[in-house]
Amino acid sequence: MSRLSRAQNPVQQAGPSAAPIQVHVPATGHGGASVGGVTVTAAPGQEIQQAVLNHLHRLALAEGHPVRATILDGRIGYAVPLQINLDGSSALTGQPWEVPAEPPTPACVIDAHPIPLGTVSPPTGVFGPPPVMDPPATAEPGTPLTPSPAPCTPQPKPKPHPLLQATDLPPEPAPAPKNSTRVRGFDAVAEAVLGDEPSPAGPLAEPVAAINEAVREGRTEDAARLAERTVAEASRTLGPEHPEVLRLRELAAYIAYLAGEPDRAFALALEVAGIHHRAHDREAAYGNVLSAATAWRAVRDPELGLRLGDELIALWSALAEDGGPAAEEPGRLESARTRMTRLTERAARL
């Protein structure tokens, strides 16, 4: 889930996009928003701004670098320049500016049953009142007549932004059940890292706090080195499958994903998912499968994506067969299988 960044988050380096993606949210807030010419609608119970941020985050993942957008929000009368980063956070790239109020859209009245000229209509048998005739208008010589309003013509749809024409965009996630508000996968890790709540007490509280601080300050390489060293030390003292160590390994996978190492992030997350699966912890296993799936979608090499996808779907299918949260969200697994089909087609063209 994409989220607005904290004020101290640094703006990451954006990719070589020709221009910011133009986003338009109508003043009424109804009918969705236009993101680079593509209509984005909010799911039931979701606000339109969150749907837009989620869509832009998927574009950033597909491109492998942050993307910038100019959001013209007709509801508040301001244009907001944003950058959406790979971790789902967003930051202002400039000061918002006020824009003119949106003019009302002219209504086009079209006769649903046009009658061609020269057609004689059958009599109805009822005489209506005589028509009221306006007196003829008088105009001074040389005064031009008031022109009739121009007929309404449909406006052409804007061409989609180049980023929106990517062939392998991450698919829209299946909507969660209405009674489900649980955050899973890298989203849950990000909330723990970027949230305001202090780190929970435990044997690894101090190093985890240092790792989280490095992530918040944008020192991803420092965070990755510290996480790797802490995982190795904690595995020797507590054991590689100790609950605290497993949470630390989840954090290491998230940091690898932020560092642009999706294959490493995938391996770390899927290994933790397998440990939880063997321990019959279906919730924790599914959360790490979703983390692995997020990293997998950022792998651009189709052949590598196919190899990793086979491992992912094998474990994911086993979780779905066991019931639990994986079985409650079958659309996510189906989306992964659909991507495997696209990767197979891309690999065949190489």
Side-chain angles (χ1 to χ4, degrees):
M1 178 185 298
S2 299
R3 59 198 178 280
L4 292 175
S5 67
R6 296 159 59 88
Q8 64 267 33
N9 279 359
V11 176
Q12 302 174 14
Q13 183 64 37
S17 178
I21 300 172
Q22 298 299 310
V23 179
H24 176 241
V25 181
T28 61
H30 301 304
S34 172
V35 181
V38 173
T39 301
V40 174
T41 57
Q46 183 186 44
E47 295 184 357
I48 186 61
Q49 59 264 33
Q50 192 60 57
V52 169
L53 288 173
N54 289 346
H55 190 83
L56 292 171
H57 182 211
R58 285 191 292 274
L59 295 179
L61 293 178
E63 286 297 301
H65 57 68
V67 298
R68 296 193 176 190
T70 300
I71 301 180
L72 176 60
D73 196 335
R75 301 169 303 171
I76 60 175
Y78 275 85
V80 182
L82 281 182
Q83 176 170 301
I84 293 78
N85 301 315
L86 291 176
D87 64 351
S89 64
S90 59
L92 290 172
T93 58
Q95 290 297 323
W97 64 91
E98 192 171 0
V99 294
E102 297 181 2
T105 303
C108 296
V109 180
I110 302 175
D111 190 354
H113 303 284
I115 300 177
L117 293 176
T119 302
V120 179
S121 300
T124 61
V126 178
F127 292 97
V132 178
M133 304 296 292
D134 293 331
T138 59
E140 296 294 333
T143 302
L145 296 177
T146 303
S148 301
C152 293
T153 56
Q155 296 297 319
K157 291 185 177 181
K159 295 180 65 176
H161 189 279
L163 284 180
L164 301 172
Q165 299 173 352
T167 58
D168 193 29
L169 282 179
E172 292 278 349
K178 293 183 179 180
N179 59 352
S180 174
T181 58
R182 188 177 185 90
V183 179
R184 299 185 176 98
F186 282 156
D187 284 343
V189 181
E191 286 196 358
V193 172
L194 302 175
D196 295 324
E197 297 182 1
S199 301
L204 303 178
E206 185 175 345
V208 167
I211 295 170
N212 291 349
E213 182 180 1
V215 173
R216 287 194 292 266
E217 294 177 355
R219 296 183 288 110
T220 309
E221 293 183 1
D222 293 342
R225 285 193 295 268
L226 182 56
E228 184 176 0
R229 183 170 68 248
T230 307
V231 167
E233 295 173 355
S235 297
R236 287 193 298 268
T237 57
L238 301 176
E241 298 186 8
H242 186 278
E244 293 289 334
V245 178
L246 291 178
R247 280 192 287 271
L248 183 59
R249 292 167 72 175
E250 293 174 0
L251 177 58
Y254 174 64
I255 294 172
Y257 175 71
L258 295 181
E261 301 179 63
D263 49 344
R264 172 174 166 76
F266 173 88
L268 291 172
L270 197 68
E271 185 177 5
V272 175
I275 293 172
H276 285 302
H277 178 51
R278 292 191 296 272
H280 306 290
D281 188 341
R282 295 182 294 186
E283 178 63 45
Y286 183 51
N288 282 276
V289 160
L290 293 182
S291 295
T294 300
W296 172 62
R297 289 192 176 98
V299 174
R300 311 313 303 164
D301 182 358
E303 294 182 351
L304 177 59
L306 286 172
R307 292 197 299 271
L308 300 183
D310 285 337
E311 300 177 31
L312 173 67
I313 290 179
L315 179 55
W316 202 335
S317 300
L319 287 177
E321 292 175 0
D322 289 345
E328 295 170 0
E329 298 182 338
R332 292 180 181 269
L333 177 56
E334 188 59 33
S335 295
R337 288 175 172 148
T338 300
R339 184 175 190 251
M340 287 291 286
T341 301
R342 294 199 304 269
L343 290 175
T344 302
E345 295 171 352
R346 288 175 53 194
R349 294 194 296 266
L350 295 179

